[in-house]
């Protein structure tokens, strides 16, 4: 833990306590801001959930990407995979310099302290906009026929988003 001194409007020095994770990753710790509603998918380094952000009225749907902790011998959590740290840095870089309509912004980084299953408490979660569909499933669905205009539009959006990333020195 690190202690900082803040000066209030009366020039009084007030000591505030921040964890190292809060300082390094600029995220907040809360108990119940996000409520998981269902599991959406899983990858090598994360599990994705649909959730509700209770800080808005009405609550908004978001995607929570729970970052898996690296396990050391004896199955005890050891830390974050370097890929997750790189992803967080890239998402912060892309979100900090203005939004792009074809790049999903990082809305928040959240560390739950209670109120969830024990496997979620203490794990870092990236908060992203929730998408109602999985593009890969749509593309693979042989019942859906795409026009050349649809494909051209998707390619323009994809290349526009990649250009935005490349302009910010992020390769995808």
């Amino acid at each position: 833990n690190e202690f900082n001194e803040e000066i209030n409007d009366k020039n009084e020095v007030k000591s505030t306590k921040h964890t190292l994770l809060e300082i390094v990753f600029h995220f907040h710790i809360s108990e119940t801001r996000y409520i998981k509603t269902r599991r959406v998918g899983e990858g090598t380094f994360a599990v994705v959930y649909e959730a509700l952000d209770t800080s808005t009225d009405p609550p908004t749907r978001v995607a929570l990407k729970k970052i898996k902790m690296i396990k050391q011998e004896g199955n005890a959590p050891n830390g974050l995979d370097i890929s997750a740290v790189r992803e967080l840095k890239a998402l912060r870089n892309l979100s900090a310099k203005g939004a792009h309509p074809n790049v999903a912004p990082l809305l928040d980084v959240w560390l739950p302290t209670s109120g969830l299953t024990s496997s979620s408490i203490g794990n870092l979660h990236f908060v992203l906009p929730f998408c109602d569909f999985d593009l890969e499933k749509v593309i693979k669905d042989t019942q859906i026929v795409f026009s050349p205009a649809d494909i051209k539009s998707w390619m323009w959006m994809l290349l526009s988003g990649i250009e935005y990333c490349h302009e910010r020195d992020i390769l995808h």
Side-chain angles (χ1 to χ4, degrees):
N1 290 331
E2 181 174 301
F3 290 88
N4 292 330
E5 292 182 342
E6 293 179 354
I7 300 175
N8 65 17
D9 57 344
K10 298 177 187 174
N11 286 330
E12 297 170 329
V13 176
K14 179 177 111 177
S15 179
T16 58
K17 180 179 162 184
H18 299 282
T19 67
L20 181 60
L21 284 173
E22 287 175 297
I23 294 163
V24 172
F25 292 117
H26 308 288
F27 68 91
H28 76 276
I29 296 175
S30 75
E31 295 184 14
T32 58
R33 177 170 176 180
Y34 301 103
I35 300 171
K36 292 179 183 177
T37 55
R38 69 183 175 99
R39 183 179 168 147
V40 177
E42 182 172 358
T44 304
F45 300 109
V47 180
V48 179
Y49 297 90
E50 178 181 357
L52 294 174
D53 180 352
T54 61
S55 71
T56 61
D57 188 26
T60 54
R61 291 168 56 203
V62 295
L64 289 181
K65 185 174 183 178
K66 181 180 112 179
I67 305 304
K68 294 178 183 177
M69 301 298 281
I70 297 173
K71 304 285 184 182
Q72 62 182 357
E73 289 184 36
N75 235 11
N78 193 23
L80 293 175
D81 182 84
I82 191 66
S83 298
V85 175
R86 285 189 193 118
E87 181 179 4
L88 176 57
K89 182 179 177 187
L91 287 170
R92 284 210 182 276
N93 182 352
L94 292 172
S95 299
K97 297 188 179 185
H100 187 280
N102 305 115
V103 177
L106 178 67
L107 303 174
D108 195 7
V109 181
W110 177 55
L111 182 72
T113 56
S114 67
L116 296 170
T117 62
S118 60
S119 67
S120 289
I121 295 172
N123 281 353
L124 204 58
H125 292 68
F126 297 170
V127 184
L128 304 156
F130 184 80
C131 296
D132 287 313
F133 59 90
D134 180 344
L135 185 58
E136 181 182 7
K137 288 180 184 174
V138 171
I139 290 171
K140 288 182 178 180
D141 186 343
T142 58
Q143 301 300 312
I144 301 173
V145 178
F146 300 107
S147 71
D150 290 330
I151 296 167
K152 183 177 178 181
S153 176
W154 283 3
M155 289 304 299
W156 185 89
M157 289 185 279
L158 177 68
L159 292 172
S160 174
I162 289 173
E163 177 186 41
Y164 179 80
C165 293
H166 288 184
E167 288 171 350
R168 283 146 187 84
D169 299 322
I170 295 171
L171 300 177
H172 192 298

